[in-house]
Short mmCIF file of all heavy atoms in Angstrom, two decimals:
data_model
loop_
_atom_site.label_atom_id
_atom_site.label_comp_id
_atom_site.label_asym_id
_atom_site.label_seq_id
_atom_site.Cartn_x
_atom_site.Cartn_y
_atom_site.Cartn_z
N LEU A 9 53.30 -41.79 21.16
CA LEU A 9 53.24 -40.53 20.45
C LEU A 9 54.59 -39.99 20.13
O LEU A 9 55.55 -40.31 20.83
CB LEU A 9 52.51 -39.53 21.40
CG LEU A 9 51.10 -39.83 21.81
CD1 LEU A 9 50.63 -38.71 22.74
CD2 LEU A 9 50.17 -39.93 20.62
N GLY A 10 54.69 -39.21 19.08
CA GLY A 10 55.91 -38.52 18.82
C GLY A 10 56.22 -37.50 19.84
O GLY A 10 55.36 -37.06 20.59
N ASP A 11 57.45 -37.02 19.92
CA ASP A 11 57.86 -36.06 20.94
C ASP A 11 56.99 -34.80 20.93
O ASP A 11 56.61 -34.29 21.95
CB ASP A 11 59.35 -35.68 20.75
CG ASP A 11 60.29 -36.83 21.13
OD1 ASP A 11 59.81 -37.81 21.74
OD2 ASP A 11 61.46 -36.74 20.72
N GLU A 12 56.70 -34.31 19.73
CA GLU A 12 55.94 -33.02 19.63
C GLU A 12 54.54 -33.22 20.24
O GLU A 12 54.08 -32.37 21.00
CB GLU A 12 55.85 -32.62 18.15
CG GLU A 12 55.23 -31.23 17.99
CD GLU A 12 55.22 -30.81 16.56
OE1 GLU A 12 55.08 -31.65 15.64
OE2 GLU A 12 55.41 -29.61 16.31
N GLN A 13 53.85 -34.28 19.85
CA GLN A 13 52.51 -34.50 20.41
C GLN A 13 52.52 -34.75 21.86
O GLN A 13 51.69 -34.27 22.64
CB GLN A 13 51.82 -35.69 19.68
CG GLN A 13 51.25 -35.32 18.34
CD GLN A 13 50.34 -36.44 17.79
OE1 GLN A 13 50.63 -37.57 17.99
NE2 GLN A 13 49.29 -36.05 17.10
N ARG A 14 53.48 -35.56 22.30
CA ARG A 14 53.57 -35.93 23.72
C ARG A 14 53.85 -34.68 24.59
O ARG A 14 53.24 -34.50 25.65
CB ARG A 14 54.66 -37.04 23.98
CG ARG A 14 54.66 -37.59 25.37
CD ARG A 14 55.46 -38.84 25.50
NE ARG A 14 56.81 -38.68 25.03
CZ ARG A 14 57.37 -39.24 23.99
NH1 ARG A 14 56.66 -40.09 23.23
NH2 ARG A 14 58.62 -39.09 23.64
N ASP A 15 54.75 -33.84 24.14
CA ASP A 15 55.11 -32.62 24.85
C ASP A 15 53.87 -31.65 24.87
O ASP A 15 53.63 -31.04 25.92
CB ASP A 15 56.32 -31.96 24.27
CG ASP A 15 57.58 -32.76 24.43
OD1 ASP A 15 57.60 -33.63 25.25
OD2 ASP A 15 58.61 -32.42 23.78
N ALA A 16 53.19 -31.54 23.75
CA ALA A 16 52.04 -30.66 23.71
C ALA A 16 50.93 -31.13 24.65
O ALA A 16 50.34 -30.35 25.32
CB ALA A 16 51.55 -30.52 22.29
N LEU A 17 50.69 -32.42 24.66
CA LEU A 17 49.65 -32.99 25.47
C LEU A 17 49.99 -32.79 26.95
O LEU A 17 49.13 -32.40 27.73
CB LEU A 17 49.44 -34.49 25.14
CG LEU A 17 48.38 -35.21 25.90
CD1 LEU A 17 47.03 -34.64 25.55
CD2 LEU A 17 48.39 -36.71 25.58
N THR A 18 51.20 -33.05 27.30
CA THR A 18 51.67 -32.94 28.66
C THR A 18 51.56 -31.43 29.13
O THR A 18 51.14 -31.14 30.26
CB THR A 18 53.12 -33.41 28.89
OG1 THR A 18 53.16 -34.81 28.44
CG2 THR A 18 53.56 -33.34 30.29
N ALA A 19 52.02 -30.51 28.27
CA ALA A 19 52.02 -29.12 28.64
C ALA A 19 50.57 -28.60 28.82
O ALA A 19 50.22 -27.88 29.73
CB ALA A 19 52.68 -28.27 27.54
N ALA A 20 49.62 -29.03 27.89
CA ALA A 20 48.27 -28.58 27.98
C ALA A 20 47.66 -29.18 29.26
O ALA A 20 46.91 -28.45 29.98
CB ALA A 20 47.48 -29.11 26.77
N ALA A 21 47.92 -30.45 29.56
CA ALA A 21 47.34 -31.07 30.77
C ALA A 21 47.82 -30.33 32.05
O ALA A 21 47.03 -30.11 32.99
CB ALA A 21 47.72 -32.52 30.85
N GLN A 22 49.06 -29.90 32.08
CA GLN A 22 49.62 -29.25 33.21
C GLN A 22 48.97 -27.87 33.42
O GLN A 22 48.63 -27.52 34.51
CB GLN A 22 51.13 -29.08 33.12
CG GLN A 22 51.78 -28.47 34.34
CD GLN A 22 51.43 -29.21 35.62
OE1 GLN A 22 51.63 -30.45 35.69
NE2 GLN A 22 50.87 -28.50 36.63
N ARG A 23 48.73 -27.14 32.32
CA ARG A 23 48.06 -25.87 32.42
C ARG A 23 46.63 -25.98 32.89
O ARG A 23 46.14 -25.21 33.77
CB ARG A 23 48.09 -25.13 31.07
CG ARG A 23 49.51 -24.69 30.66
CD ARG A 23 49.43 -23.82 29.42
NE ARG A 23 48.69 -22.57 29.68
CZ ARG A 23 49.26 -21.46 30.17
NH1 ARG A 23 50.55 -21.41 30.46
NH2 ARG A 23 48.50 -20.40 30.35
N VAL A 24 45.92 -26.99 32.38
CA VAL A 24 44.55 -27.23 32.75
C VAL A 24 44.51 -27.63 34.27
O VAL A 24 43.68 -27.15 35.05
CB VAL A 24 43.87 -28.34 31.91
CG1 VAL A 24 42.52 -28.72 32.46
CG2 VAL A 24 43.79 -27.87 30.48
N ARG A 25 45.45 -28.44 34.68
CA ARG A 25 45.53 -28.90 36.10
C ARG A 25 45.81 -27.74 37.01
O ARG A 25 45.20 -27.54 38.09
CB ARG A 25 46.53 -29.97 36.26
CG ARG A 25 46.57 -30.62 37.66
CD ARG A 25 47.48 -31.78 37.70
NE ARG A 25 47.10 -32.84 36.82
CZ ARG A 25 46.20 -33.79 37.04
NH1 ARG A 25 45.56 -33.72 38.25
NH2 ARG A 25 45.89 -34.67 36.19
N THR A 26 46.78 -26.89 36.61
CA THR A 26 47.13 -25.70 37.43
C THR A 26 45.98 -24.76 37.66
O THR A 26 45.71 -24.27 38.76
CB THR A 26 48.34 -24.99 36.79
OG1 THR A 26 49.45 -25.83 36.73
CG2 THR A 26 48.71 -23.73 37.62
N TYR A 27 45.23 -24.56 36.55
CA TYR A 27 44.04 -23.66 36.64
C TYR A 27 43.00 -24.23 37.58
O TYR A 27 42.47 -23.49 38.44
CB TYR A 27 43.45 -23.43 35.25
CG TYR A 27 42.23 -22.58 35.32
CD1 TYR A 27 42.30 -21.22 35.18
CD2 TYR A 27 40.95 -23.17 35.42
CE1 TYR A 27 41.15 -20.40 35.23
CE2 TYR A 27 39.80 -22.38 35.43
CZ TYR A 27 39.89 -21.04 35.37
OH TYR A 27 38.79 -20.27 35.41
N HIS A 28 42.71 -25.52 37.45
CA HIS A 28 41.68 -26.07 38.30
C HIS A 28 42.10 -26.26 39.76
O HIS A 28 41.28 -26.25 40.64
CB HIS A 28 41.14 -27.39 37.64
CG HIS A 28 40.35 -27.11 36.43
ND1 HIS A 28 40.90 -27.02 35.15
CD2 HIS A 28 39.04 -26.94 36.27
CE1 HIS A 28 39.95 -26.79 34.28
NE2 HIS A 28 38.80 -26.75 34.90
N GLU A 29 43.40 -26.43 39.95
CA GLU A 29 43.89 -26.43 41.38
C GLU A 29 43.71 -25.10 42.03
O GLU A 29 43.30 -25.01 43.23
CB GLU A 29 45.36 -26.88 41.41
CG GLU A 29 45.56 -28.39 41.18
CD GLU A 29 47.04 -28.77 41.01
OE1 GLU A 29 47.83 -27.84 40.82
OE2 GLU A 29 47.33 -29.97 41.09
N ALA A 30 43.98 -23.99 41.28
CA ALA A 30 43.68 -22.66 41.78
C ALA A 30 42.21 -22.50 42.05
O ALA A 30 41.76 -21.84 43.02
CB ALA A 30 44.21 -21.61 40.78
N GLN A 31 41.37 -23.01 41.14
CA GLN A 31 39.94 -22.94 41.34
C GLN A 31 39.45 -23.62 42.58
O GLN A 31 38.63 -23.13 43.33
CB GLN A 31 39.25 -23.51 40.08
CG GLN A 31 37.70 -23.35 40.03
CD GLN A 31 37.16 -24.06 38.79
OE1 GLN A 31 37.08 -25.23 38.72
NE2 GLN A 31 36.76 -23.19 37.85
N LYS A 32 40.03 -24.75 42.84
CA LYS A 32 39.72 -25.53 44.04
C LYS A 32 40.11 -24.76 45.33
O LYS A 32 39.32 -24.67 46.29
CB LYS A 32 40.36 -26.90 44.07
CG LYS A 32 40.04 -27.73 45.24
CD LYS A 32 40.73 -29.07 45.25
CE LYS A 32 40.42 -29.89 46.47
NZ LYS A 32 41.23 -31.16 46.48
N ARG A 33 41.27 -24.15 45.31
CA ARG A 33 41.72 -23.37 46.47
C ARG A 33 40.85 -22.19 46.75
O ARG A 33 40.52 -21.83 47.89
CB ARG A 33 43.13 -22.89 46.26
CG ARG A 33 44.18 -23.99 46.36
CD ARG A 33 45.56 -23.37 46.47
NE ARG A 33 45.94 -22.59 45.29
CZ ARG A 33 46.49 -23.02 44.23
NH1 ARG A 33 46.78 -24.30 44.07
NH2 ARG A 33 46.79 -22.19 43.19
N ALA A 34 40.26 -21.59 45.63
CA ALA A 34 39.47 -20.40 45.77
C ALA A 34 38.09 -20.70 46.23
O ALA A 34 37.48 -19.88 46.94
CB ALA A 34 39.44 -19.64 44.43
N SER A 35 37.51 -21.82 45.85
CA SER A 35 36.10 -22.00 46.13
C SER A 35 35.71 -23.40 46.58
O SER A 35 34.52 -23.64 46.81
CB SER A 35 35.28 -21.66 44.86
OG SER A 35 35.66 -22.51 43.78
N GLY A 36 36.67 -24.29 46.70
CA GLY A 36 36.32 -25.66 46.92
C GLY A 36 36.75 -26.25 48.21
O GLY A 36 36.87 -27.49 48.39
N GLU A 37 36.89 -25.45 49.23
CA GLU A 37 37.35 -25.94 50.55
C GLU A 37 36.19 -25.84 51.54
O GLU A 37 35.34 -24.94 51.45
CB GLU A 37 38.58 -25.10 51.02
CG GLU A 37 39.74 -25.11 50.09
CD GLU A 37 40.33 -26.46 49.92
OE1 GLU A 37 40.11 -27.35 50.72
OE2 GLU A 37 41.12 -26.70 48.92
N SER A 38 36.25 -26.73 52.54
CA SER A 38 35.26 -26.66 53.61
C SER A 38 35.50 -25.44 54.51
O SER A 38 36.64 -24.95 54.57
CB SER A 38 35.32 -27.95 54.44
OG SER A 38 35.09 -29.12 53.66
N TRP A 39 34.49 -24.97 55.23
CA TRP A 39 34.67 -23.86 56.15
C TRP A 39 33.63 -23.99 57.26
O TRP A 39 32.62 -24.65 57.18
CB TRP A 39 34.49 -22.52 55.41
CG TRP A 39 33.22 -22.36 54.66
CD1 TRP A 39 32.98 -22.66 53.34
CD2 TRP A 39 31.95 -21.94 55.20
NE1 TRP A 39 31.70 -22.43 53.01
CE2 TRP A 39 30.99 -21.97 54.11
CE3 TRP A 39 31.49 -21.49 56.41
CZ2 TRP A 39 29.67 -21.56 54.30
CZ3 TRP A 39 30.18 -21.13 56.57
CH2 TRP A 39 29.29 -21.19 55.53
N SER A 40 33.93 -23.33 58.38
CA SER A 40 32.97 -23.28 59.49
C SER A 40 33.31 -22.11 60.41
O SER A 40 34.42 -21.55 60.32
CB SER A 40 33.03 -24.60 60.30
OG SER A 40 34.32 -24.74 60.86
N TYR A 41 32.38 -21.74 61.24
CA TYR A 41 32.61 -20.71 62.25
C TYR A 41 31.70 -21.02 63.48
O TYR A 41 30.75 -21.75 63.37
CB TYR A 41 32.34 -19.31 61.72
CG TYR A 41 30.85 -19.03 61.37
CD1 TYR A 41 29.97 -18.54 62.33
CD2 TYR A 41 30.40 -19.32 60.09
CE1 TYR A 41 28.66 -18.33 61.99
CE2 TYR A 41 29.11 -19.08 59.75
CZ TYR A 41 28.19 -18.60 60.69
OH TYR A 41 26.86 -18.38 60.37
N ARG A 42 32.02 -20.40 64.61
CA ARG A 42 31.21 -20.57 65.81
C ARG A 42 30.57 -19.26 66.28
O ARG A 42 31.21 -18.23 66.25
CB ARG A 42 32.08 -21.15 66.96
CG ARG A 42 32.42 -22.60 66.79
CD ARG A 42 33.00 -23.21 68.08
NE ARG A 42 33.34 -24.62 67.87
CZ ARG A 42 32.49 -25.62 67.97
NH1 ARG A 42 31.30 -25.38 68.33
NH2 ARG A 42 32.93 -26.92 67.80
N ASP A 43 29.27 -19.35 66.59
CA ASP A 43 28.62 -18.24 67.19
C ASP A 43 29.19 -17.96 68.58
O ASP A 43 29.93 -18.82 69.16
CB ASP A 43 27.11 -18.50 67.34
CG ASP A 43 26.37 -18.41 65.98
OD1 ASP A 43 26.99 -17.85 65.05
OD2 ASP A 43 25.23 -18.88 65.92
N ALA A 44 28.76 -16.82 69.17
CA ALA A 44 29.17 -16.49 70.56
C ALA A 44 28.75 -17.52 71.52
O ALA A 44 29.45 -17.72 72.55
CB ALA A 44 28.67 -15.10 70.89
N ASP A 45 27.68 -18.20 71.27
CA ASP A 45 27.16 -19.20 72.26
C ASP A 45 27.82 -20.59 71.98
O ASP A 45 27.40 -21.59 72.65
CB ASP A 45 25.64 -19.31 72.21
CG ASP A 45 25.09 -19.71 70.81
OD1 ASP A 45 25.84 -20.30 70.03
OD2 ASP A 45 23.94 -19.46 70.53
N GLY A 46 28.74 -20.68 71.05
CA GLY A 46 29.40 -21.98 70.81
C GLY A 46 28.83 -22.79 69.71
O GLY A 46 29.38 -23.87 69.42
N THR A 47 27.74 -22.38 69.12
CA THR A 47 27.12 -23.14 68.01
C THR A 47 28.07 -23.09 66.77
O THR A 47 28.53 -22.05 66.40
CB THR A 47 25.75 -22.51 67.64
OG1 THR A 47 24.87 -22.71 68.74
CG2 THR A 47 25.20 -23.21 66.40
N LEU A 48 28.28 -24.24 66.22
CA LEU A 48 29.12 -24.34 65.03
C LEU A 48 28.28 -24.42 63.74
O LEU A 48 27.35 -25.21 63.69
CB LEU A 48 30.05 -25.54 65.11
CG LEU A 48 31.01 -25.79 63.93
CD1 LEU A 48 32.34 -26.31 64.40
CD2 LEU A 48 30.39 -26.76 62.91
N LEU A 49 28.58 -23.61 62.82
CA LEU A 49 27.94 -23.61 61.48
C LEU A 49 28.98 -23.62 60.41
O LEU A 49 29.98 -23.00 60.54
CB LEU A 49 26.99 -22.40 61.33
CG LEU A 49 25.90 -22.19 62.38
CD1 LEU A 49 25.24 -20.87 62.22
CD2 LEU A 49 24.87 -23.28 62.30
N GLY A 50 28.64 -24.39 59.38
CA GLY A 50 29.67 -24.38 58.28
C GLY A 50 29.22 -25.22 57.12
O GLY A 50 28.04 -25.54 56.96
N GLN A 51 30.19 -25.54 56.28
CA GLN A 51 29.92 -26.30 55.08
C GLN A 51 31.07 -27.26 54.87
O GLN A 51 32.26 -26.93 54.94
CB GLN A 51 29.82 -25.33 53.85
CG GLN A 51 29.28 -25.98 52.63
CD GLN A 51 29.02 -24.96 51.53
OE1 GLN A 51 29.93 -24.47 50.87
NE2 GLN A 51 27.73 -24.59 51.36
N LYS A 52 30.73 -28.55 54.60
CA LYS A 52 31.71 -29.55 54.30
C LYS A 52 31.68 -29.86 52.84
O LYS A 52 30.64 -30.20 52.28
CB LYS A 52 31.39 -30.85 55.11
CG LYS A 52 32.42 -31.96 54.92
CD LYS A 52 32.05 -33.13 55.77
CE LYS A 52 33.06 -34.25 55.57
NZ LYS A 52 32.75 -35.42 56.42
N VAL A 53 32.83 -29.72 52.14
CA VAL A 53 32.90 -29.91 50.72
C VAL A 53 33.60 -31.30 50.51
O VAL A 53 34.71 -31.51 51.01
CB VAL A 53 33.72 -28.79 50.05
CG1 VAL A 53 33.84 -29.11 48.55
CG2 VAL A 53 33.06 -27.46 50.26
#
């Protein structure tokens, strides 16, 4: 690719990646908690 196309493609890809990494941090992580009696409940992503 010419410099202009290569730079545009790389910049677009980085912006798309940054957005989706933020999306993963916001909603894509596993979580769990324990009741008072020690029972563990959660979700594995």
Side-chain angles (χ1 to χ4, degrees):
L9 299 178
D11 290 344
E12 187 176 35
Q13 279 191 325
R14 189 165 57 245
D15 291 347
L17 183 64
T18 303
Q22 184 54 53
R23 292 187 63 87
V24 174
R25 187 174 299 277
T26 298
Y27 177 87
H28 288 88
E29 285 173 344
Q31 187 181 73
K32 181 182 178 184
R33 288 193 299 271
S35 61
E37 304 294 342
S38 301
W39 54 267
S40 65
Y41 65 90
R42 287 192 180 273
D43 284 346
D45 60 20
T47 295
L48 180 142
L49 301 171
Q51 191 173 79
K52 181 178 181 179
V53 178

